[in-house]
Amino acid sequence: MLTTQRKQHILAVLQRDGQIVAKTLSQELDLSEDTIRRDLRELAAEGLLQRVHGGALPASPAVVDFAGRSTIASDGKAAIGRVAAEMINDGQVVILDGGTTAVQLARHLRADLKATIVTHSPSVAVELAQHPSVEVILIGGRLFKHSVVAVGVAALESLGHIRADLFFMGVTGVHAEAGLSTGDHEEAYMKRALMARAAETVVLASAEKINAASAYVIASLAEISGIITEHGVADALLEPLGAAGPSITLA
Amino acid sequence: MLTTQRKQHILAVLQRDGQIVAKTLSQELDLSEDTIRRDLRELAAEGLLQRVHGGALPASPAVVDFAGRSTIASDGKAAIGRVAAEMINDGQVVILDGGTTAVQLARHLRADLKATIVTHSPSVAVELAQHPSVEVILIGGRLFKHSVVAVGVAALESLGHIRADLFFMGVTGVHAEAGLSTGDHEEAYMKRALMARAAETVVLASAEKINAASAYVIASLAEISGIITEHGVADALLEPLGAAGPSITLA
DNA sequence: CTTGACGTTGCACGAAATTGCACGATAACT
DNA sequence: AGTTATCGTGCAATTTCGTGCAACGTCAAG
């Protein structure tokens, strides 16, 4: 591969995932880490990205989120999205909730996946529009602006026609006793309705959601099949769940 | 093989693959790498491609502007959006079509506007989610990926409950005789349905749409109330419409 | 038919670019 | 503090580049 093109690829990956891990990329492109590091250094010199220990982050200060990371995080939401995306098989009907993690999932679907994705999140729908083969069903309704998802009777009514294999749900709190919760009453109701339409529900929860609880309870942990979250945070905290609870997958 | 022909072949391969590898091409054409390099140098001198170590890349570095094209809207579309946004009054129910111009419209709504916006475009919905006061109704359905709008029976059914004052419609062709047209059959059907639910329809048409016609006709010019387009282009061309046709507003 | 100008091609050789590895330094993790 | 992973630099091997030059074919003038 031509080096110029490789650099473009690096920038594209950076744009897509929000970060670059030197080691991962070297394996992906079948090049030594030295070469990747050289590229990253040069791109950093051009101001096209920001070099950090372990890889690189976007240069644009707009993305420099809280506290300005100085290390590559454990991939965070992108990693959760990647792992979740791999759980979907050809031919399945999958419901996708709203939220940034769900957008990451949509972004990391296999390019040749032939499945039907149902979502009430316009953001997810926009992302999925770029996928070459999945069928996308958009659930309409009144837009709940805070979370940018459709809710209300119209949305619930549309769901009546849906029967899904899997529902990837976003929540704002996962707690051993309080269960799954979110910050809005109507949103909680909508999520319960979505759960009811799917054979299994898997929760996507980035680190900060673990062992937190919000005002409105969606369901208990016993009612879901699995939780996908990040390394390091949840290990001990969710352990007490034992065999009765959902399976926990670490990204 | 003639050298001129070979150069055309090189450009064709470049067009197809997005890159040229000197070594590969030399084997493919059974010529020395020197010759290929010479050709590449000459083509680069003519500005037809970009020379890089190992081969060549397209001259216009595949303007795959990250973030996806929508970021850069032409001034024209933004102006059209601004003008259209001013036509909406408090208390009205307005249907917004898909397309970049509609997104611009959504972006330029008065911050204190109290209206209900109905849309079948997830992109528009995402944009409107940032508006503090408008009520947003998202029309769901099967996602037509090319235009990123919901279509199909579910979408049509949802429309049954809607009664709007105004419909801002995007089209791909506005032609004095052919009328309003678009490139997809199902999309044309959806637009007709949306027209039927609104008291008045106003077409948003950036410069390149004027006096163009696409495969599927939506309606005649007599059926709409107005067209909003840019200065300079449409002035003379649409003049023959006279008093019978829609009013034309220039942005 | 011969000859020489011209363009094209392949080869040779030194220059430049790219890559992977080694090694000491640095930073993160425990 | 000690351990591990990552970084940066120097260096050598390989690939690619550019230029000069000779070989070959074409074509038109002699």
Side-chain angles (χ1 to χ4, degrees), chain A residues 133-153:
Chain A
S133 59
V134 297
E135 165 106 357
V136 183
I137 306 295
L138 177 64
I139 300 295
R142 185 166 49 78
L143 196 70
F144 176 54
K145 290 188 195 170
H146 181 261
S147 308
V148 194
V149 292
V151 298
V153 287

Side-chain angles (χ1 to χ4, degrees), chain A residues 5 131 134 138 141 143 145, chain B residues 19 131 134 136 138 141 143 145:
Chain A
Q5 204 170 50
H131 191 284
V134 297
L138 177 64
L143 196 70
K145 290 188 195 170
Chain B
Q19 72 174 77
H131 191 284
V134 298
V136 183
L138 177 63
L143 196 69
K145 290 187 195 171

Side-chain angles (χ1 to χ4, degrees), chain A residues 1-14 20 25 28-29 31 35-36 39 42-43 46, chain B residues 13-22 24 50-62 64 66:
Chain A
M1 178 186 274
L2 306 179
T3 79
T4 312
Q5 204 170 50
R6 191 178 55 234
K7 288 185 183 176
Q8 288 182 355
H9 179 261
I10 289 175
L11 290 175
V13 170
L14 186 58
I20 293 282
L25 196 61
E28 195 174 305
L29 297 182
L31 288 168
T35 303
I36 300 300
D39 287 343
E42 288 170 16
L43 289 169
E46 295 176 45
Chain B
V13 171
L14 187 58
Q15 178 84 25
R16 174 167 54 89
D17 298 348
Q19 72 174 77
I20 293 282
V21 180
T24 305
Q50 178 193 352
R51 192 74 171 77
V52 299
H53 198 89
L57 294 174
S60 55
V64 183
F66 320 93

Side-chain angles (χ1 to χ4, degrees), chain A residues 39-118:
Chain A
D39 287 343
L40 294 181
R41 253 175 283 167
E42 288 170 16
L43 289 169
E46 295 176 45
L48 297 176
L49 53 75
Q50 179 191 350
R51 195 70 226 288
V52 298
H53 199 85
L57 295 174
S60 80
V63 194
V64 176
D65 43 306
F66 45 93
R69 288 182 277 171
S70 63
T71 303
I72 290 294
S74 64
D75 249 316
K77 296 181 178 181
I80 294 177
R82 235 188 308 269
V83 170
E86 289 170 7
M87 297 177 63
I88 305 177
N89 299 315
D90 282 344
Q92 285 190 318
V93 176
V94 177
I95 303 177
L96 250 185
D97 204 350
T100 52
T101 310
V103 171
Q104 289 295 325
L105 197 171
R107 192 168 293 173
H108 288 102
L109 290 175
R110 280 187 2 243
D112 62 340
L113 179 69
K114 305 225 174 357
T116 299
I117 312 284
V118 179

Side-chain angles (χ1 to χ4, degrees), chain A residues 171-190:
Chain A
V171 299
T172 58
V174 177
H175 193 280
E177 294 158 19
L180 306 161
S181 53
T182 189
D184 178 80
H185 163 259
E186 195 153 26
E187 212 182 345
Y189 194 92
M190 185 73 190

